[in-house]
Amino acid sequence: MAAPVKPIQPTGLNQPQSQALLGKQTKAIVVTTGMLAFISFWRASAIVLCDLASTAYYIGGIVEQACGRSAPYFILAVMLFSYAVRAVYVESCSMFTRGGVYRVVKEAMGSTLAKISVSALMFDYILTGPISGVSAGQYLVGLINELLKLAHSPIILPADFTAAFFAIGVTVYFWRQNILGIEESSGKAMRIMQVTTVMAVTMIAWCSLTIFMRGAHLPPFELKFTDDSLGWLKHFPGARTIGTLGILIAFGHSILAMSGEESLAQINREIEAPKLRNLLRTGLVIFIYSLLLTSLVSFFAVMIIPDSVRMANYGDDLIGGLAMFMVGPLWARIALRAFVVFVGFLILAGAVNTAIVGSTGVLTRVAEDGVLLDWFRHPHKKYGTNYRIVNMVAMLQIATIVLSRGDMFVLGEAYAFGVIWSFVFKTLSVLILRYKDQYHRLWRMPLNLTWFRPGGKDFPLGLTLTFVVLLATAIINLFTKQVATISGISFTLALFVIFEISEKINGQAQHAYGEEPEKFNLQLVGEDQVDPIRLGLVAPHKVLVAIRDPNNLAHLHRYLSEPDNAELIAMTVRTEKGLASSDGGQIFTDHEGKLFSKVVKVCEDHGRAVTPLVAVSNDQIYAIARMAYLLHVDEVVMGVSERFHPDVQLENFAMHWGSLGDSDEHHVKVRVLSDSRDIRAEI
């Protein structure tokens, strides 16, 4: 046991009353992870677009190589269809704040299919980094070679090898950043998208001027598949014609244009209140931005860059090629291309980081469900990050870059496997959950036929059509994308086997999702260190909510449902008898871990930030009053006690509060809150 820690006597302390309470002491355990920070829908949109909009840099060349000059039409079709897929994600997020593929599929179809779906999704995430890094490298190499050519230099850098080398360097850099815990912030993502917007507006305006001055025609709607793009269907009748099969094949090759949708489910937990309204706004911003940028770039490239040089010289560098074929002096076009490369580096490098962050987040959530060994969740001794998961993700990404040798077409073909199958599992699961009444949702994907009611429920026409299109595309892709099918199935099965073995070792096959307590970093501090500035509590209005039971948070739910921008502190008291508190309080008890995991999830659902705090004391009410006083809170919210009447709770709190300071200097509002009661007092 540690030596007793005497309470600090702040200025204005009422000494006689404090002596009556001599021996009542507190220490505090500050939860340094779990402090939620929420962002606006603009910042949320920027984070998703750093992943989604990056495809504008490489999708045009990949699709045109697969199906010819009609590629822009299919990219446009995919971007329009992406709004339906985004609506699926919005509906799932309205049911589960942490509404990723794993959670939704498990709720709908069980843990086995959930593990398969998340394995396919991980293939998508693992490939996001390499394809973005290699694409950034291709743009950089293209610019360097163009400058060397203008300088009449005989040196020409090998595009694929140099791009792969550059991609490995970027991956290693962000691997290190994620080990340190310096993830891409919403502020950085916002600035990247602001610069990207300047580039996009400049490109659209300059391309429009070029077409106006030179004239141009829309690309023909025709299909010209290569043997590689048809895969095992290259000898199948009708595969090369503009029919249902041919259109589905071309659509499947273009589906990569909407990769990054899963990022919306990952970022949903960080969107500020009102969460659903801001989530819908985020989806609309993403749709409009990606539709204009990705689709227009593809059309402009085919209309402006001559066919004889487009795919031969600029297949992996379409936006850079566009810059070189604009109207205007050579120096202006070179400057524009340099700007394009600079922006491309920012957004594609951001996508590399997003891939590592997203992969780590997905695997961490799976580990919380007992499906991945706890060994992977062991925090770094110095930085507190899930470094073992980050290491594994980075090694897989570097191996992918080496195996692909920087070939964008190979990476693009393989990448589409995880994208389409994660969409299929997600949409099917949301469709099944429509018929499970216990899953409440605040928003439903449109096109629900109320006049056709099998089993008394609306028929989800929009969901059904979206699922049919995704499933048909996924099946076609299995036969046309040989590299994707072989590598994707192999990776998915390998990761699924790892999940199965890990789950058996953990012995948690029946573990309920989300019940595993979160891994918090903790810091034990004395009363002299309990200071609002030191703890980062700088808002002018602060509220302390006292919590005890993870199954009885009605007062927290009710308070969060009220419109209030106060800084929230969620505090529980660990009671220790005697006059001293132990130093062993740095470790959460199982009860405290479950309690704060539940509190974090509740606050995520409401889009409100929270600072978790544990007070170690020998008197609960005194500890609540003491921490409220030291942190200068304006309001204290308590749940209804099972032992005492609310009036007694208020009187007890008032007695302890009066012992701490002059009521004329520091007033506090106190509420005893439940579903049916709201008793208030001002002390």
Side-chain angles (χ1 to χ4, degrees), residues 179-354:
I179 292 294
L180 296 175
I182 307 175
E183 300 179 356
E184 182 183 39
S185 69
S186 61
K188 290 180 180 178
M190 191 73 176
R191 287 190 288 273
I192 289 174
M193 292 315 303
Q194 287 169 346
V195 176
T196 304
T197 301
V198 174
M199 184 274 293
V201 171
T202 303
M203 289 294 298
I204 292 171
W206 207 331
C207 285
S208 300
L209 178 63
T210 301
I211 291 173
F212 175 77
M213 295 183 66
R214 292 180 182 169
H217 299 285
L218 289 172
F221 190 76
E222 59 185 16
L223 296 177
K224 291 186 177 180
F225 296 113
T226 64
D227 286 348
D228 287 339
S229 62
L230 287 176
W232 289 299
L233 295 181
K234 60 186 176 182
H235 300 302
F236 196 84
R240 299 178 186 270
T241 61
I242 302 178
T244 303
L245 182 59
I247 290 175
L248 271 177
I249 292 173
F251 189 82
H253 282 290
S254 310
I255 204 74
L256 181 60
M258 63 173 175
S259 68
E261 294 292 341
E262 170 63 17
S263 300
L264 187 65
Q266 299 296 325
I267 202 64
N268 173 60
R269 61 185 298 199
E270 299 180 32
I271 296 177
E272 66 183 6
K275 186 175 287 287
L276 178 60
R277 184 187 304 171
N278 285 331
L279 179 63
L280 291 168
R281 290 170 175 171
T282 301
L284 182 60
V285 170
I286 294 168
F287 171 70
I288 294 173
Y289 197 106
S290 58
L291 174 67
L292 292 176
L293 178 60
T294 307
S295 302
L296 285 177
V297 163
S298 302
F299 274 102
F300 286 147
V302 175
M303 296 169 69
I304 293 175
I305 306 175
D307 294 347
S308 58
V309 299
R310 186 173 58 255
M311 292 306 297
N313 298 336
Y314 301 105
D316 299 329
D317 186 14
L318 278 184
I319 304 181
L322 266 175
M324 297 307 298
F325 284 90
M326 301 284 200
V327 294
L330 180 61
W331 65 265
R333 287 180 279 146
I334 290 291
L336 177 60
R337 184 166 185 182
F339 183 45
V340 166
V341 172
F342 171 71
V343 175
F345 170 79
L346 290 179
I347 193 170
L348 291 165
V352 174
N353 186 48
T354 300

Side-chain angles (χ1 to χ4, degrees), residues 541-559:
H541 182 41
K542 293 182 282 290
V543 174
L544 186 149
V545 179
I547 53 174
R548 290 184 61 187
D549 184 358
N551 298 315
N552 184 17
L553 296 175
H555 63 301
L556 178 62
H557 276 286
R558 183 168 176 183
Y559 170 75

Side-chain angles (χ1 to χ4, degrees), residues 68-79:
R69 295 180 64 199
S70 61
Y73 294 108
F74 291 98
I75 293 173
L76 175 61
V78 168
M79 299 317 298

Side-chain angles (χ1 to χ4, degrees), residues 227-525:
D227 286 348
D228 287 339
S229 62
L230 287 176
W232 289 299
L233 295 181
K234 60 186 176 182
H235 300 302
F236 196 84
R240 299 178 186 270
T241 61
I242 302 178
T244 303
L245 182 59
I247 290 175
L248 271 177
I249 292 173
F251 189 82
H253 282 290
S254 310
I255 204 74
L256 181 60
M258 63 173 175
S259 68
E261 294 292 341
E262 170 63 17
S263 300
L264 187 65
Q266 299 296 325
I267 202 64
N268 173 60
R269 61 185 298 199
E270 299 180 32
I271 296 177
E272 66 183 6
K275 186 175 287 287
L276 178 60
R277 184 187 304 171
N278 285 331
L279 179 63
L280 291 168
R281 290 170 175 171
T282 301
L284 182 60
V285 170
I286 294 168
F287 171 70
I288 294 173
Y289 197 106
S290 58
L291 174 67
L292 292 176
L293 178 60
T294 307
S295 302
L296 285 177
V297 163
S298 302
F299 274 102
F300 286 147
V302 175
M303 296 169 69
I304 293 175
I305 306 175
D307 294 347
S308 58
V309 299
R310 186 173 58 255
M311 292 306 297
N313 298 336
Y314 301 105
D316 299 329
D317 186 14
L318 278 184
I319 304 181
L322 266 175
M324 297 307 298
F325 284 90
M326 301 284 200
V327 294
L330 180 61
W331 65 265
R333 287 180 279 146
I334 290 291
L336 177 60
R337 184 166 185 182
F339 183 45
V340 166
V341 172
F342 171 71
V343 175
F345 170 79
L346 290 179
I347 193 170
L348 291 165
V352 174
N353 186 48
T354 300
I356 297 176
V357 173
S359 301
T360 304
V362 170
L363 290 177
T364 300
R365 292 301 164 211
V366 171
E368 288 176 358
D369 199 36
V371 176
L372 199 61
L373 290 176
D374 263 352
W375 180 85
F376 285 101
R377 298 176 65 200
H378 193 275
H380 194 282
K381 290 182 179 179
K382 183 176 181 181
Y383 305 114
T385 53
N386 289 338
Y387 71 104
R388 289 170 176 167
I389 293 179
V390 175
N391 291 344
M392 181 176 67
V393 169
M395 287 189 292
L396 287 172
Q397 290 184 334
I398 291 173
T400 301
I401 296 169
V402 172
L403 291 173
S404 70
R405 300 177 182 178
D407 190 320
M408 284 294 297
F409 183 74
V410 171
L411 285 170
E413 291 295 278
Y415 188 17
F417 178 89
V419 174
I420 188 64
W421 281 105
S422 65
F423 290 162
V424 168
F425 282 114
K426 180 85 167 187
T427 308
L428 177 59
S429 300
V430 175
L431 184 61
I432 291 173
L433 290 177
R434 279 288 188 97
Y435 294 93
K436 292 189 175 182
D437 293 335
Q438 63 267 36
Y439 297 100
H440 175 70
R441 55 187 52 73
L442 300 173
W443 187 87
R444 298 191 305 166
M445 183 178 177
L447 293 183
N448 301 290
L449 302 182
T450 56
W451 49 268
F452 183 69
R453 306 171 67 86
K457 295 179 175 63
D458 297 346
F459 180 71
L461 180 62
L463 263 175
T464 303
L465 291 176
T466 302
F467 170 71
V468 169
V469 172
L470 287 171
L471 181 61
T473 305
I475 293 173
I476 287 293
N477 279 6
L478 283 178
F479 294 98
T480 58
K481 296 178 180 291
Q482 291 174 295
V483 172
T485 300
I486 295 171
S487 58
I489 291 178
S490 300
F491 180 92
T492 300
L493 289 178
L495 192 56
F496 175 76
V497 169
I498 292 173
F499 287 156
E500 285 287 298
I501 294 173
S502 297
E503 193 173 54
K504 291 294 188 296
I505 294 174
N506 284 343
Q508 293 179 332
Q510 303 301 319
H511 187 67
Y513 182 90
E515 291 299 321
E516 176 72 9
E518 303 227 9
K519 299 296 184 183
F520 295 114
N521 286 342
L522 311 175
Q523 178 185 0
L524 181 67
V525 299

Side-chain angles (χ1 to χ4, degrees), residues 573-593:
V573 180
R574 181 191 302 177
T575 304
E576 295 195 355
K577 303 299 183 183
L579 299 182
S581 299
S582 71
D583 279 333
Q586 286 184 321
I587 301 175
F588 265 1
T589 64
D590 290 341
H591 172 79
E592 289 163 352

